Amino acid sequence: MEEKYLIINAGSSSLKFSLYEMPSAKEIVNGYIQKIGEGDSFYELKYDGKKDVKEKNIKNHSEAVQTMLDELIENKFIKNIGEIKGVGHRVLHGGEFYSKSTLIDEEVLNNIKSLTKLGPLHHPGEIAGIEGMMEVLKDVPQVAVFDTAFHQTMPKENYLYAVPYSWYKENGVRKYGFHGTSHNYITDKMKKHFGRDDINIIVCHIGSGASIVCIKDGICYDTTMGLTPLDGLVMGTRSGSIDPSIIEYIAKERNMTVEEITNALNKESGLIGLAGKNDYRDLSKAREDGDDMAKLALKIFYNSVTKYIAEYYFKLDGKVDALVFTAGIGENAYVFRKKVMERISNPMHIKLDEEANKAIPAKVREGKISTDDSAFEVLVVPTNEEYMILTDTYNVTKGK
Ligand code: ADP
């Protein structure tokens, strides 16, 4: 029998929601409440190819949840709130507490609150979303799906930084990794693709935010993002790894606070910092139009992706089953894939199938882009984080 599940993605002033039927995973409606607590809030509902936009002064997340539920009932997507069997919440940081999605009780909520210092931009909104939901849907099981959980299998030698050990023991300074739901989704798909669990793959989730994971024997062995999503690859607006001394140097040189610098490293660096554009399409267009900085920024970006693929190739001792590209750029930009492949093909004994690469997504959405005589498969696989959150929520709440 089909049952209804809600998936929530709450920000500091927004609430995204989708209502699904399970086990068919059919989406019934989705919506987005914006500017919560800002006086001019509004929301939209999307269903059956239609879009309704409404204005309403929504003061807090609890009111946002109530508004959403009223709309779901009014539009007959549900008869009453009792029809909702479970709610899944996307949560940025599970710290070392959680290696999988978890039913939320008071202890879990307190642990999520204690991790706000590691996710200061995301956690306050996510907590408000959970509390708003729990207030209104008291008896409905709520599940936290953490972006970090998938990476908890990393061995110590891969998650520790070479800094004073007390920073780890007393302050939790270590690599946590992010984009876990996406990497988990792709890894599950690849296990089905190869028909076994002990796969060695390298997954490149390359969107505006970007990270690569090294999957060894079917579990996460290493990843590029660190204590926060700032580490690793050059991204749309994030610097990725840099010399940490830059922070003190710039603080003195430009009379900036650590917070201001961290903000600049998160929002004004990466591709936008170098070339003034963070969108890959805009940057590619600028490059075609002869913009030298766009050309240089893209080169630095491709090199950064190449560097981590190479590291993980070595960490897997060259025994790779597949290299997978996913997310906005990975799935859609064939030139990006070509540029990365140009840099790794010879040492890794793989060859790009130019036709197959160009066909994604122009003709098909996914597929193999390496030639049959390549040492391993190179694939494009669309990610689906929402599906992962939904199935986790369903599995955790089943029978509750
Ligand atoms: P995030 O989820 O981190 O915001 P996405 O996964 O949505 O990011 O990816 C956004 C990036 O994907 C942008 O840089 C955008 O330019 C790029 N992108 C999306 N569609 C295309 C396309 N058709 N061709 C090239 N790049 C694309």
Side-chain angles (χ1 to χ4, degrees):
M1 200 187 77
E2 292 287 306
E3 290 180 325
K4 295 189 171 120
Y5 286 80
L6 258 177
I7 302 302
I8 300 292
N9 195 345
S12 55
S13 63
S14 67
L15 188 92
K16 268 191 215 163
F17 61 90
S18 313
L19 182 71
Y20 285 92
E21 268 175 2
M22 283 300 271
S24 67
K26 185 176 158 235
E27 190 188 71
I28 304 168
V29 57
N30 72 61
Y32 194 5
I33 302 177
Q34 299 197 52
K35 298 196 164 189
I36 298 170
E38 290 177 16
D40 53 348
S41 34
F42 63 94
Y43 59 94
E44 56 180 55
L45 288 178
K46 279 198 223 154
Y47 55 95
D48 295 340
K50 280 187 286 196
K51 186 163 114 175
D52 282 350
V53 181
K54 296 188 186 173
E55 282 175 24
K56 182 184 174 190
N57 186 10
I58 298 171
K59 287 199 227 46
N60 51 44
H61 282 72
S62 174
E63 273 191 33
V65 168
Q66 195 59 61
T67 304
M68 170 192 75
L69 292 171
D70 289 347
E71 283 289 345
L72 294 181
I73 294 172
E74 222 167 87
N75 289 290
K76 301 193 169 48
F77 296 121
I78 51 172
K79 285 196 221 60
N80 52 55
I81 53 175
E83 251 195 279
I84 296 170
K85 293 295 172 214
V87 182
H89 296 267
R90 184 179 193 153
V91 180
L92 179 82
H93 225 298
E96 285 190 326
F97 292 117
Y98 302 108
S99 56
K100 49 184 196 292
S101 300
T102 305
L103 207 57
I104 306 176
D105 58 15
E106 198 150 319
E107 186 192 333
V108 174
L109 186 57
N110 283 335
N111 285 338
I112 295 172
K113 284 182 181 169
S114 76
L115 291 164
T116 301
K117 57 188 177 198
L118 289 172
L121 298 179
H122 294 81
H123 271 217
E126 290 167 358
I127 291 163
I130 294 171
E131 288 185 326
M133 263 313 184
M134 287 177 108
E135 233 174 273
V136 183
L137 294 180
K138 285 186 192 68
D139 301 322
V140 181
Q142 319 258 339
V143 177
V145 180
F146 301 99
D147 244 15
T148 51
F150 181 69
H151 309 290
Q152 279 295 303
T153 51
M154 283 188 290
K156 231 172 183 169
E157 70 262 27
N158 287 342
Y159 72 67
L160 278 185
Y161 296 112
V163 294
Y165 193 58
S166 56
W167 294 7
Y168 165 62
K169 291 307 282 179
E170 292 161 26
N171 309 100
V173 170
R174 52 159 284 179
K175 187 191 277 190
Y176 289 98
F178 297 86
H179 290 143
T181 47
S182 173
H183 290 302
N184 195 355
Y185 176 82
I186 299 290
T187 304
D188 280 355
K189 274 211 111 174
M190 287 299 95
K191 285 178 182 173
K192 287 195 188 103
H193 175 78
F194 288 109
R196 58 189 171 84
D197 281 350
D198 60 344
I199 54 170
N200 289 347
I201 58 172
I202 298 168
V203 183
C204 305
H205 174 114
I206 314 292
S208 180
S211 68
I212 303 183
V213 282
C214 174
I215 305 294
K216 189 176 177 190
D217 293 330
I219 55 175
C220 179
Y221 184 67
D222 204 355
T223 190
T224 56
M225 283 179 169
L227 176 76
T228 72
L230 180 56
D231 200 7
L233 297 164
V234 168
M235 305 177 219
T237 64
R238 298 191 190 117
S239 62
S241 315
I242 55 164
D243 179 350
S245 303
I246 292 172
I247 295 172
E248 187 192 349
Y249 177 74
I250 285 299
K252 288 178 180 156
E253 282 286 305
R254 300 182 73 96
N255 197 23
M256 284 168 78
T257 64
V258 171
E259 287 75 16
E260 285 168 344
I261 298 171
T262 304
N263 191 49
L265 292 174
N266 271 295
K267 299 194 178 145
E268 296 160 18
S269 301
L271 300 174
I272 205 166
L274 287 167
K277 293 177 178 62
N278 71 328
D279 190 288
Y280 185 80
R281 286 164 291 199
D282 296 344
L283 211 54
S284 304
K285 170 88 179 43
R287 183 195 181 281
E288 277 163 31
D289 294 343
D291 180 336
D292 284 341
M293 279 313 286
K295 189 173 172 185
L296 183 62
L298 285 170
K299 236 185 203 172
I300 293 171
F301 177 50
Y302 301 140
N303 286 345
S304 153
V305 173
T306 305
K307 171 179 137 176
Y308 289 103
I309 295 175
E311 178 184 333
Y312 294 160
Y313 177 80
F314 276 88
K315 277 191 159 148
L316 294 171
D317 196 23
K319 298 183 184 81
V320 176
D321 292 305
L323 168 69
V324 184
F325 289 108
T326 193
I329 299 172
E331 290 167 32
N332 293 302
Y334 77 89
V335 176
F336 162 79
R337 298 188 298 255
K338 182 178 153 78
K339 292 291 178 185
V340 173
M341 287 293 282
E342 272 171 11
R343 289 162 163 80
I344 61 175
S345 285
N346 283 341
M348 295 184 191
H349 311 290
I350 48 178
K351 224 188 286 169
L352 183 69
D353 179 335
E354 300 264 0
E355 293 273 301
N357 186 41
K358 267 195 180 166
I360 304 172
K363 292 201 183 101
V364 284
R365 299 249 16 117
E366 60 189 306
K368 189 170 92 158
I369 58 165
S370 51
T371 57
D372 288 342
D373 59 350
S374 293
F376 53 86
E377 289 184 38
V378 183
L379 302 159
V380 180
V381 181
T383 193
N384 194 340
E385 288 164 279
E386 182 123 324
Y387 179 78
M388 196 73 234
I389 297 173
L390 176 66
T391 48
D392 264 14
T393 303
Y394 179 66
N395 291 328
V396 172
T397 55
K398 229 174 8 185
K400 295 281 184 246

